[in-house]
Amino acid sequence: QVQLVESGGGLVQPGGSLRLSCAASGRDFAIIAMGWYRQAPGKQRELVAGIRGGSLTNYADSVKGRFTISRDGAKNTVYLQMNSLKPEDTALYYCNAGGNYYANSPGTYWGQGTQVTVSS
């Protein structure tokens, strides 16, 4: 069993930055692939980024060059650094564990979500 707790969402102006965190517990965190998804109102949930091992990453085309996913094994935490935020990035962001993010296939475990709102 894996428990995931997200934090770091909020309101930011266009062009601003936020860093989301996802604290994981319950399993050998280091061997689990982790990912971030988001869901905007009226839209389907979509993959934002995934990380496997320490540094194998993949991103949605819409966030490449602006978002960076990383993990800290010592803290059992995965991060999503979001720069140059746009209004279309507004969504509820979810942490996910155990998926195949290259195949856009989420794992079983989800966090509760953290809201990101980009607005002036």
Side-chain angles (χ1 to χ4, degrees):
Q1 195 77 1
V2 173
Q3 293 79 43
L4 305 173
V5 178
E6 303 104 331
S7 61
L11 173 64
V12 63
Q13 292 186 342
S17 298
L18 281 175
R19 188 177 79 158
L20 306 183
S21 299
C22 173
S25 62
R27 279 186 61 180
D28 188 349
F29 174 77
I31 65 171
I32 298 175
M34 303 287 293
W36 288 94
Y37 283 77
R38 68 185 181 186
Q39 187 167 20
K43 295 187 177 181
Q44 290 188 333
R45 190 174 298 184
E46 63 175 356
L47 174 68
V48 177
I51 185 165
R52 181 166 57 91
S55 60
L56 297 175
T57 59
N58 64 293
Y59 297 91
D61 287 344
S62 60
V63 307
K64 282 180 181 177
R66 300 188 298 123
F67 291 11
T68 302
I69 189 171
S70 62
R71 70 195 304 168
D72 184 334
K75 296 181 178 179
N76 285 351
T77 300
V78 64
Y79 303 98
L80 184 68
Q81 177 66 44
M82 305 184 295
N83 299 329
S84 302
L85 282 160
K86 304 175 181 180
E88 51 263 43
D89 295 317
T90 295
L92 192 58
Y93 283 70
Y94 296 91
C95 183
N96 180 265
N100 180 353
Y101 305 106
Y102 286 95
N104 193 8
S105 177
T108 306
Y109 306 106
W110 293 93
Q112 80 285 357
T114 185
Q115 179 67 38
V116 172
T117 302
V118 184
S119 176
S120 55

